[in-house]
Structures are given as structure tokens and as C-alpha cells.
Amino acid sequence: MNDRRVAVVLGASGYMGSNLAPALAAAGWQVRAVARNKAVLEAREWPGVECWSADVLKPETLAPVLEGADVVYYLVHMMWTGSDFVPVERRAAENARKACEAAGVRRIVYLGGIMPKEKRSQHMEGRRVVGDTLREGSIQVIELQAAMIVGPGSAAFEVIRDLVNHLPFMITPKWVRRRSTPIALENVLTYTIAAADLPFEGHRTLEIAGPDVLTYQEIMNIYGEFVGKKPIVLPVPVLTPKLSSYWLYFVTSVPPTTAMSLVEGLAHDYVAEDHEMRELVPQRLLTFRESIAATLEAEKNRQAPARWVEGSIACRDWNPKYSFYAKKFCGEKETTASREALFEVLQQFGRDGDFFSYRPLWWLRRAFDWLIGGPSFRTGRRDPETLRMGDIVDGWRVLGLKPNERLTLSMLMRAPGSGLQEFNIRERDGKRMVELCSYWHPAGFWGLLYWYGHLPLYSPLVNGAVAEIARRAEALERASL
């Protein structure tokens, strides 16, 4: 008989959810990790974690995952739904709260952000709305409020990393002099797990923080010490956070909507008053320098929960000078061909220099790589007709392979960054699609220049490739009739 208490993590595919779900399991909870796409969770292969599919915007999907739950962690963000996401945040939180009430959940733990006293950004307004909406019901809500979380993949921290790694000189708004209390991921996890059993009646809001109070310029300077960079920062009064969010889109690899929302909120100090939480949950709080060291060590030791799109970092030994998140360009093509025929064509990738489109352009790129000592024009393919994990095809290595569904290749060619190509075969709206996404993790200013210099070529190369794959697969099926 299983007498472990059940913790449900809503939003388990996000940054905090990806770290919290396995941490809860390690702490002895029976964990149900929940996201819209169950396959994303299953790819993490967390020991002792059940993976479920549900959507907080579809209330009917929530009842099964919440049945028998003791505590629900609400870690859902709706910025992906568009610019006007605050009403969507409210509706999602309301759906989750009502479903928790119907299931008899004892407590909801919500991780929000420290609220500035002045006018809030849309991002912070969304965080406030979620907390208020969850508290409108009968279930007790414990809200933890944090500033910047320091860990691999944390959006706010990755913005800082990209700025330092990519820009030797920055003209910034005055927000670089605003203060924050960054907190290490491991400290946040300790607080968040403990929040399930804090001895409170009724709703409570608690701020959590690390031991340092730093300006964003100090944060950038300290990180720069770890990667051997000393960015020159020139604050100017005319560059508002709103304007800076636009150029940030070109500099950072953090998802654009997230990055822009974060920067718009940097016009405020985010200094936590965390005395109460320190007394309730005693632990050693890592300094900002220790937090950075722990982050880099976690990446080096492969402790960061990586997704396919982050996989190419692993091929470069988790070099901290490479962006954690990737720049991305995708193309797709509808086709009548079967999955089997499409995958048969995909396995011909790179054979005899054939990359499905613009063969002369590919030859020039390979020739340049060969001239500078790269691996192009070489092969480690073990079978001419099929690909296997680890095969080297010209300047690419097979990183992932799922028959009739996916082929993932990491780039071995010499370049200022780390690249990945992923082919997917999927069904959408009753139609079969073949998709190709190119991912690029820039390394410094030259890595950004490489991406934007090649960007005009991605549309013809990517769209041409998926069209040719579909054409060949359809021809293959016709020939077999």
C-alpha cells in the first residue's frame, strides 16, 4: 500500500517545474508532473515521477490529475499566449483553483515574484493576478515571492549571462543601478518543498531571497569574473526599459516574450524582506558568487534538466560562454506521405553531400569548414541506408533518433557557437507534417554575428529541405505501388 502524500506540479515543463518535480520525488513525495505536452515531461526521464497531460485552460482535463492530491504547486505562466496575457493568467488560475476545490486539495503553493511598490510591468501584474485569483477560493494558498533565481535556464539569470557573454560594450537604461536580492536555485527548492508543510492557517505571502543585495550592474560584473569578461556599461537616461526590451530581442536567446516582459519590470528594485522565511526554514543561503559557481558546476556535471533544444550545449561541454537557450528557425511542409516513407528519406541526410536543398551552398559551407580544420567531408556512418545514434555524417553527429518521429543532429563544424538540427514528423489537425528546426546557441558577439549573417539563408534552406523531403517520400510511395 502506498501511503506517500501526493504532490501535483502544474507547469512541470517550465524552469521551476523541471527542477521541483524530481526534487519533490527525492524528498519522498509521490509526484505527478503535469504539462500540456506529456511527451516533453517523459523525455526528462525523472525517477519516481509520474507524467500527466492536462491544460489549465481546459478545466475538464484537470480532475484526473488532481484526484487524491494533498498539495498542488502552481507554476504555470501564460506569457506564451500573446501580448495581452494577464486575463489568460486569471482564467487559468481560476480554473486550477476550482478544480483543486473539487478534488479536496489541502494547500496550493504558488511561486510568484516580489511586487514593486510603484507601477508594475505586465509580467509582474500577471504574477499578482494569479496570486489574488488563487486566494479567492476556500483552499489555503502559500505564495512565495522571489526576485532573480540563479540556476541553469532561469530566464532572468540567462538574460544577464547573454548580455555579458555577447556584448563587450553596453548602453543601458538606468535600471542597471536598480537593486535585487538574487537567490540560488537550491535555496528556492528547499523553501518551496518546505512550503507544503509550513504551520499556518489561512493564506500567507512570504518573500524569499539570497544574502546579497546587488545592483544589476554588480550582478553582471560578478558573472563576468567567472567567464573572463569585463563588459563596459554606460547607463543613459533616455533608453527606457521598454526600448531596451526591443534590442534585447536581438542579443539574448531567452524566449522573446519572456525576455521583454522581464526587462520591462527592471525599472524597480526587487529587494526581499525574508526574515520570516529564514526563521521558518533555516538553511545556508548561497551568496551570489556561490550561486554562479553552483550553476556552472551543475551544467558541467550534466545536472541541469535539458530538453532537446538545449541538447547541443552538452556537445560543447556546457561551456558557460554559450547561450543556454537557442536562437531558432523552423519550417514545415504538409504531405500525404506516410511516416515510414518520410523517415526513410530522413535517414539519407548528408549521404554523398546531400542535405535535401541548395547543394552548392552546403558544399561551400563544408569546404570552408574543411579548410579551417573542421570535420566536413568525413563520415562515421556505419550503414549507408540507415542512421544510428552516434553516427557522424559529414559535419553532423546523430544526437537523437526515434523511428518514424524524430531525427536530431548536433553540428560539429567549427563555428562560434553550438548548433542543432531537428527533423520532426507529426500529425496536426488531421494532416501529416514534416518539420525542420535549426537551433543556434551563440558564443559571444561573433556567435550572434554568425546567426544574423546566416539568417537570410535559413528560409530557403529550411523550407527547401522540408519540401524536398516531402516530395521524395511521396515519390517513394508511388514507386512502391
Side-chain angles (χ1 to χ4, degrees), residues 110 112-113 115 127 131 135 141-145 204-206:
Y110 166 54
M115 291 293 129
R127 299 293 81 206
R135 283 186 286 268
V141 176
I142 304 296
E143 178 176 351
L144 303 181
Q145 296 182 340
R204 291 297 297 267
T205 298
L206 299 157

Side-chain angles (χ1 to χ4, degrees), residues 66-129:
L66 297 176
E67 183 178 353
D70 181 65
V71 173
V72 170
Y73 286 92
Y74 190 89
L75 304 174
V76 178
H77 292 270
M78 288 294 169
M79 286 185 287
W80 61 270
T81 60
S83 58
D84 189 21
F85 59 83
V86 174
V88 185
E89 293 272 27
R90 182 187 300 277
R91 188 166 78 251
E94 185 175 16
N95 290 341
R97 187 198 73 223
K98 290 179 178 179
C100 287
E101 289 172 336
V105 171
R106 174 178 62 87
R107 176 177 286 185
I108 296 173
V109 177
Y110 166 54
L111 182 59
I114 297 171
M115 291 293 129
K117 296 179 175 60
E118 311 100 297
K119 182 180 177 181
R120 287 179 284 269
S121 68
Q122 190 179 28
H123 170 63
M124 296 312 300
E125 181 63 17
R127 299 293 81 206
R128 183 196 65 80
V129 163

Side-chain angles (χ1 to χ4, degrees), residues 391-460:
D391 275 358
I392 294 175
V393 182
D394 212 271
W396 300 87
R397 176 186 285 120
V398 178
L399 181 66
L401 186 149
K402 191 171 183 180
N404 305 327
E405 288 189 26
R406 182 175 61 237
L407 172 64
T408 309
L409 303 122
S410 63
M411 191 176 85
L412 304 178
M413 290 181 283
R414 293 194 173 187
S418 181
L420 189 85
Q421 282 200 92
E422 185 166 85
F423 296 90
N424 286 289
I425 303 167
R426 54 168 56 101
E427 311 290 328
R428 192 176 67 207
D429 300 327
K431 300 174 182 177
R432 187 167 297 109
M433 312 294 296
V434 56
E435 176 192 61
L436 168 58
C437 286
S438 292
Y439 299 95
W440 177 249
H441 300 263
F445 176 77
W446 295 109
L448 283 179
L449 213 60
Y450 181 93
W451 169 258
Y452 289 113
H454 285 76
L455 195 56
L457 299 174
Y458 281 120
S459 181

